[in-house]
Amino acid sequence: MKALCVFSGGLDSMLAAALIKDQGVDVLTFFFETPFFGPAKAIESARSMGLPFKIVDITERHFEVVKHPRHGYGGNMNPCIDCHALMFRIAGEMLATEEASFVISGEVLGQRPMSQNRQALRVVEAESDLDGLLLRPLSAKRLPMSIPEEKGWVDRERLEDFQGRSRKPQMAMARRFNIMRYPAPGGGCLLTEPVFSKRLRDLLAHTPDPGFHQIELLKLGRHFRLGPDAKIAVGRNKAENEAIEALQRPGDLILTAVNVPGPSVLLSGKPSEDECKTAAAIALAYSDTDGMATCSVYVKGALETVMVMEQAPVHPKDIYRHMML
């Protein structure tokens, strides 16, 4: 008997896997990767438990859910109910190829009031098309019996009845299973972060079908909206400058101050002449111009320098009306 575990690498998913493995079921853990959450935590947790582990990139299907969530967003741009349903649906699609019988997750009833209440858990299971093959071991005794329990694949009496946001029962169980190292709760998904969500919301408002390089850019630097068809990202250090320049695409411009230290600024969209001047002025505002009245700015396309502009740095008070954090 084998189960597929939708595995975030947090304590709850670790305990769910441990509970089922303890009943003699082989557990294969899956991390579903997107630009909004990476696998580092899950890889470390699976290795610490000696669990077999696979990473599955679901970026394209997941981004459609992010753009058009049937059940809406949480506090930011996080479509948690739709996201969970999608991940379980994909896990269900993989049961046959992995020769597995059911899917498990570390969800706990009531732990997240918006996305893990009783109604939300029912919706997620219904839309996953798993038809009773989804088992939530940590709250199983508070939920309707699943097929794995009905058929005796697992012993319901050895599952748990956790409910609510307290972590004490999980911490006690971790000690019982000798799980000494596990990540702090929360975090990991960029869609729950206010600043990233504000940037993503702006991107989708002006570019309904963005490329994934544009999403990667949202993770870097300071962002400014110059107009409906123009925005810039400003690097904050050498590593960000290099990463921003690597994301330049045909049609994008990179602005850098001439002969003075400063950031790389990626200007994208279809900027007007005035917006190009504003971008250059902002680039200089973050450069070490040392009180210079004007300074030259390289404007580089993907293949060559397009022009050199002479520009005065913008006054700091004028930056913030464009800034998106």
Side-chain angles (χ1 to χ4, degrees):
M1 184 67 62
K2 182 193 287 187
L4 303 184
C5 180
V6 177
F7 193 76
S8 69
L11 179 57
D12 292 336
S13 61
M14 295 171 77
L15 293 174
L19 270 173
I20 300 307
K21 183 180 179 182
D22 192 52
Q23 296 203 25
V25 177
D26 292 334
V27 176
L28 173 59
T29 58
F30 275 89
F31 181 84
F32 293 116
E33 185 177 20
T34 81
F36 310 111
F37 37 84
K41 179 171 71 173
I43 292 171
E44 182 177 352
S45 295
R47 285 177 177 168
S48 73
M49 296 179 67
L51 293 169
F53 181 78
K54 288 188 178 181
I55 299 172
V56 179
D57 190 321
I58 62 168
T59 293
E60 292 190 9
R61 290 175 70 174
H62 183 261
F63 194 43
E64 290 305 310
V65 165
V66 172
K67 290 190 291 186
H68 309 293
R70 181 177 178 182
H71 299 286
Y73 300 104
N76 291 290
M77 287 290 286
N78 47 309
C80 293
I81 293 176
D82 298 86
C83 178
H84 288 184
L86 173 66
M87 289 191 291
F88 295 139
R89 189 180 312 121
I90 294 172
E93 294 166 0
M94 303 178 74
L95 284 172
T97 56
E98 296 295 341
E99 299 181 332
S101 300
F102 61 101
V103 175
I104 65 173
S105 89
E107 294 167 294
V108 172
L109 179 63
Q111 187 177 89
R112 294 183 176 87
M114 292 291 290
S115 62
Q116 291 183 11
N117 59 63
R118 200 172 295 273
Q119 175 61 20
L121 295 184
R122 281 198 294 264
V123 168
V124 166
E125 181 164 8
E127 296 192 2
S128 71
D129 296 328
L130 278 167
D131 298 324
L133 293 176
L134 174 58
L135 173 61
R136 298 166 167 118
L138 299 185
S139 294
K141 292 181 180 178
R142 293 184 179 271
L143 299 171
M145 189 173 287
S146 64
I147 289 175
E149 296 163 277
E150 290 175 353
K151 291 186 176 294
W153 301 343
V154 298
D155 182 354
R156 182 177 174 88
E157 291 306 309
R158 294 170 63 187
L159 303 179
E160 297 296 336
D161 62 352
F162 296 168
Q163 181 173 1
R165 307 186 75 171
S166 173
R167 306 291 291 174
K168 290 181 180 178
Q170 286 94 321
M171 293 168 70
M173 183 182 292
R175 290 191 292 271
R176 174 156 63 90
F177 280 107
N178 199 33
I179 299 173
M180 298 293 106
R181 295 176 56 192
Y182 47 85
C189 178
L190 288 171
L191 296 172
T192 65
E193 296 183 5
V195 171
F196 184 86
S197 293
K198 183 176 181 180
R199 294 177 179 184
L200 179 59
R201 197 175 290 114
D202 171 84
L203 177 64
L204 293 176
H206 294 90
T207 311
D209 191 24
F212 292 115
H213 68 283
Q214 293 171 286
I215 296 172
E216 289 300 314
L217 186 63
L218 300 182
K219 304 174 186 179
L220 301 167
R222 304 176 177 91
H223 287 245
F224 299 79
R225 171 62 59 183
L226 305 185
D229 295 317
K231 66 168 289 189
I232 60 173
V234 181
R236 290 175 288 200
N237 52 51
K238 181 180 178 181
E240 283 197 343
N241 288 344
E242 291 173 353
I244 284 171
E245 291 192 23
L247 290 170
Q248 183 181 21
R249 294 295 185 272
D252 296 340
L253 299 173
I254 295 287
L255 286 72
T256 53
V258 177
N259 294 330
V260 297
S264 295
V265 175
L266 191 149
L267 173 58
S268 58
K270 299 178 180 178
S272 66
E273 182 178 344
D274 284 345
E275 288 164 347
C276 287
K277 291 180 179 179
T278 300
I282 292 174
L284 294 177
Y286 286 103
S287 299
D288 189 12
T289 55
D290 195 27
M292 297 167 61
T294 63
C295 185
S296 297
V297 177
Y298 286 123
V299 182
K300 296 176 284 188
L303 299 176
E304 60 183 353
T305 299
V306 177
M307 67 179 85
V308 178
M309 298 174 61
E310 192 73 17
Q311 185 66 41
V314 69
H315 192 280
K317 69 180 178 63
D318 293 325
I319 292 177
Y320 297 103
R321 66 189 178 92
H322 298 293
M323 196 172 192
M324 298 188 300
L325 303 175

